[in-house]
Amino acid sequence: MAISKPVLFLGAGAALIVVVAISGQDRESSASSPTGCQVVVTADVLNARDIPGGQKIVGKYVKDAKIDAQPVVENGFRKIAEGKWVSAQFAPPVEGSKCGP
């Protein structure tokens, strides 16, 4: 039994819609931070340091990037992850984030 071309195209189209819908949900769920704290980069390029105020650069973020963060600030530096700190001045919390005081 052969499947007609229009039925095949409709089936492929429906499968594509399902895949797009699922991947959109993944993006939305990954946009929220597991810690509840997310910041936005306000500098053109923001360097991440290994320790607060350290010299060693361990990452870079570009302007308007939203990144997950920890609700921890030390000496003007916000903890992004273990061994990654950025200047809190250039990484304010996204509105509605729970980044602490």
Side-chain angles (χ1 to χ4, degrees), residues 22-54:
I22 290 171
S23 65
Q25 288 173 348
D26 289 345
R27 247 181 286 130
E28 289 174 15
S29 63
S30 66
S32 63
S33 171
T35 64
C37 178
Q38 195 173 49
V39 296
V40 62
V41 176
T42 60
D44 289 334
V45 177
L46 181 61
N47 292 326
R49 308 286 178 164
D50 60 339
I51 58 173

Side-chain angles (χ1 to χ4, degrees), residues 1 46 61 63 67 71 100:
M1 178 169 140
L46 181 61
Y61 298 96
K63 187 173 182 131
I67 48 179

Side-chain angles (χ1 to χ4, degrees), residues 23-100:
S23 65
Q25 288 173 348
D26 289 345
R27 247 181 286 130
E28 289 174 15
S29 63
S30 66
S32 63
S33 171
T35 64
C37 178
Q38 195 173 49
V39 296
V40 62
V41 176
T42 60
D44 289 334
V45 177
L46 181 61
N47 292 326
R49 308 286 178 164
D50 60 339
I51 58 173
Q55 295 298 313
K56 184 177 177 186
I57 297 172
V58 295
K60 292 181 182 275
Y61 298 96
V62 295
K63 187 173 182 131
D64 297 325
K66 289 183 181 172
I67 48 179
D68 292 341
Q70 303 291 317
V72 176
V73 176
E74 283 184 22
N75 300 324
F77 286 82
R78 177 167 302 276
K79 186 175 185 176
I80 300 300
E82 199 59 45
K84 269 191 176 179
W85 296 78
V86 297
S87 173
Q89 176 183 357
F90 299 108
V94 170
E95 188 175 329
S97 284
K98 297 176 182 170
C99 294

